[in-house]
Amino acid sequence: MSIVVVGLSHHTAPVEIRDGVAVPEPALRSVLKTAHRLPGVAECAVVSTCNRSETYVVTDTPEAVREGVVEMLCGLSGLHPGRLRKYLFTYCDADAVRHLFEVASGLDSMIVGEPQIGGQVKAAGAAAVAAGTSQTVLSRLFRSAGEASKRARTETEIGVGAVSVSFAAVELARKIFGDLDGRSALVIGAGEMSELTARYLVENGVRAPMVASRTRARTQALAERVGGEAMGWQDAMEGLHRADIVISSTSAPTCILRKDAVAAAMQRRRNRQMFLIDIAIPRDIEPEVGELYNVLLYNIDDLQLVVGANLKKRRQEAEKVRVILEEEVAAFLSWLNSLDVVPAIMALRRHFQEVMEAELERARLSDLTDEQKANVADVVRRYMNKLLHEPVTRLKGASDTGNGLVYVDALMHLFGLRMGAESEPDGALEERKRRVERIRS
């Protein structure tokens, strides 16, 4: 049994390729069912975000299943296999487990320590369980990934500090004003940076941010998405005094917010503090605005210094996270390897139990009282447990080193055990023998 992941991410593929193989949520169940029907796939799960698409499978035939997953991805994306293959990566067993744990903990993200990915991995695991494509192994794997992610965030500072300009702008506003509840804000511009900033403001307590840009339709659309108030440029300038926070990010070639406009707004505010952040290149806000009394002006260079320092800190914390993940990977692999020996241990105990019961049946105990019979049976049972303790302990230890199957094969031969063969799928015993031979060679 192997765990295999086949996928691509921002590390290996451009955005147009990632978009092609991305699995939208409404189609996820169908894709899981398709992957589960591939020959050799026992379990499967899919992690699909804007930056990655990864298919996890449990299989006894890793190479064949990899080709099946590639063909499935080609069918989904319409890409030729020769073109798609160069963007794909494949990890098996310990490497696959380690990769998922790194993804869940944010180590593999475009922004190190990204918090959202942990929830996305958890949702992917839950979706596979709901679809019936994840059973014992993948269910445990994704649960362990969540636990590894939780440890990474509680035992290190991998997620501390703003590492995007938009988030850094809002974090700076929080430091200046404290709680942003009840604060008013004006977002100038309707592009991606402006939307991210507006969303962060709303998440931190700003209600109905004012939104203004040169394009009325885009302004209206953004305002609706963030629950804000769309304004024309003239209305925005007339209402500038209402804004405690002004964040500007447009593509204008010259400054659009000048000192005289802010001075007039400050007069109407009776010089209550105003915080302005210019995250545009070239600048949107005239630098002289920062000379006004009680006006705090920051630009993108100021924010990038903050972001750079936080990223450096996160990279340092990442090394601590890797130590934690190695512990979690080892724990999961120990559990996984134990799956090979647990049936043998159960069969061995069942064999000894049957022998013990048969011997007690043959023994002439009719002259004993029920209490005496129970005592004899208890002595024999304790003796059996002592005999089994050492071989069971050694068998479990062998599973941790990956050699469990060799001992399972020997145990089956020496004691003539059958590990529930009647309930195993066709070819399972033969496959176990082949795996033992591979280990020996």
Side-chain angles (χ1 to χ4, degrees):
M1 177 181 60
S2 289
I3 298 174
V4 180
V5 55
V6 180
L8 49 76
S9 70
H10 58 282
H11 295 301
T12 66
V15 65
E16 61 270 16
I17 300 296
R18 302 200 303 270
D19 286 346
V21 299
V23 181
E25 188 175 349
L28 180 57
R29 187 180 183 87
S30 174
V31 172
L32 285 168
K33 293 292 187 181
T34 300
H36 200 222
R37 286 193 293 267
L38 293 174
V41 172
E43 302 181 37
C44 67
V46 172
V47 177
S48 186
T49 71
C50 57
N51 285 326
R52 69 183 66 251
S53 288
E54 302 176 355
T55 302
Y56 291 79
V57 298
V58 175
T59 179
D60 285 326
T61 56
E63 289 301 321
V65 164
R66 180 188 187 279
E67 291 307 305
V69 172
V70 172
E71 290 177 10
M72 181 189 75
L73 295 176
C74 289
L76 290 173
S77 64
L79 295 170
H80 188 275
R83 186 184 181 202
L84 182 60
R85 275 193 180 90
K86 66 181 181 180
Y87 298 113
L88 294 173
F89 57 78
T90 302
Y91 298 121
C92 292
D93 300 322
D95 291 335
V97 174
R98 184 175 295 105
H99 176 72
L100 180 61
F101 287 12
E102 289 179 352
V103 169
S105 301
L107 291 191
D108 197 64
S109 297
M110 188 175 290
I111 297 175
V112 176
E114 173 196 359
Q116 290 87 356
I117 188 64
Q120 291 167 333
V121 168
K122 181 179 180 181
V129 170
T133 65
S134 170
Q135 285 87 41
T136 303
V137 176
L138 287 188
S139 177
R140 178 69 173 256
L141 175 64
F142 275 76
R143 188 165 65 251
S144 296
E147 292 167 358
S149 175
K150 183 178 179 179
R151 279 195 64 192
R153 297 189 183 283
T154 56
E155 297 179 26
T156 76
E157 295 184 352
I158 189 68
V160 174
V163 289
S164 72
V165 169
S166 296
F167 191 61
V170 177
E171 283 291 286
L172 196 53
R174 287 182 60 192
K175 287 182 179 178
I176 290 171
F177 289 111
D179 194 348
L180 296 186
D181 282 342
R183 294 290 179 179
S184 58
L186 169 64
V187 177
I188 302 175
E192 181 180 358
M193 189 81 78
S194 297
E195 180 164 352
L196 283 172
T197 306
R199 290 187 183 279
Y200 287 138
L201 286 169
V202 171
E203 288 173 6
N204 283 275
V206 173
R207 289 185 174 83
M210 297 175 281
V211 180
S213 78
R214 293 173 296 178
T215 308
R216 181 68 184 180
R218 293 185 67 188
T219 303
Q220 186 65 44
L222 174 56
E224 290 176 359
R225 288 196 295 271
V226 301
E229 176 186 356
M231 306 182 76
W233 181 250
Q234 190 61 40
D235 291 337
M237 290 301 96
E238 290 179 1
L240 185 60
H241 66 283
R242 294 163 48 197
D244 300 310
I245 305 163
V246 178
I247 300 179
S248 187
S249 176
T250 76
S251 55
T254 59
C255 292
I256 59 174
L257 189 56
R258 302 195 177 275
K259 183 178 180 179
D260 56 350
V262 178
M266 288 299 291
Q267 188 173 10
R268 295 182 67 182
R269 286 174 62 83
R270 297 184 179 179
N271 285 325
R272 282 185 294 109
Q273 192 174 61
M274 180 184 283
F275 176 53
L276 299 96
I277 306 176
D278 186 352
I279 53 179
I281 301 176
R283 294 182 182 182
D284 277 345
I285 303 175
E286 201 170 47
E288 289 75 15
V289 167
E291 300 171 358
L292 295 172
Y293 174 72
N294 237 8
V295 171
L296 301 177
L297 173 63
Y298 291 82
N299 60 38
I300 195 167
D301 291 336
D302 300 319
L303 297 180
Q304 285 177 334
L305 286 173
V306 174
V307 167
N310 288 338
L311 280 172
K312 182 179 179 181
K313 174 67 173 176
R314 286 197 180 190
R315 282 191 286 268
Q316 292 170 343
E317 292 298 298
E319 296 308 311
K320 300 177 185 177
V321 172
R322 292 187 194 283
V323 174
I324 292 171
L325 296 192
E326 285 306 311
E327 294 173 2
E328 293 294 324
V329 168
F332 177 81
L333 292 177
S334 176
W335 171 84
L336 184 65
N337 288 329
S338 74
L339 296 183
D340 286 329
V341 303
V342 166
I345 292 172
M346 293 175 64
L348 184 63
R349 287 190 177 279
R350 186 166 57 247
H351 173 73
F352 270 66
Q353 181 74 23
E354 289 170 356
V355 170
M356 181 193 77
E357 291 175 353
E359 291 304 314
L360 286 173
E361 185 71 26
R362 279 195 292 269
R364 299 179 176 224
L365 303 178
S366 56
D367 294 337
L368 301 182
T369 65
D370 288 343
E371 183 180 357
Q372 289 171 328
K373 291 177 183 179
N375 288 337
V376 170
D378 186 56
V379 168
V380 175
R381 188 178 300 107
R382 282 189 281 116
Y383 183 60
M384 179 192 76
N385 288 335
K386 285 184 178 181
L387 285 176
L388 288 177
H389 176 74
E390 190 66 22
V392 166
T393 300
R394 289 181 179 273
L395 190 55
K396 289 179 178 179
S399 74
D400 285 339
T401 66
N403 293 323
L405 281 176
V406 174
Y407 290 90
V408 166
D409 185 53
L411 208 61
M412 290 173 63
H413 176 70
L414 292 173
F415 288 92
L417 303 178
R418 293 183 64 80
M419 296 186 294
E422 67 281 354
S423 64
E424 292 192 84
D426 293 341
L429 291 178
E430 289 75 11
E431 175 57 32
R432 185 181 294 112
K433 291 178 181 178
R434 286 195 293 270
R435 290 174 62 199
V436 170
E437 290 302 320
R438 288 199 295 270
I439 292 171
R440 285 173 173 167
S441 61

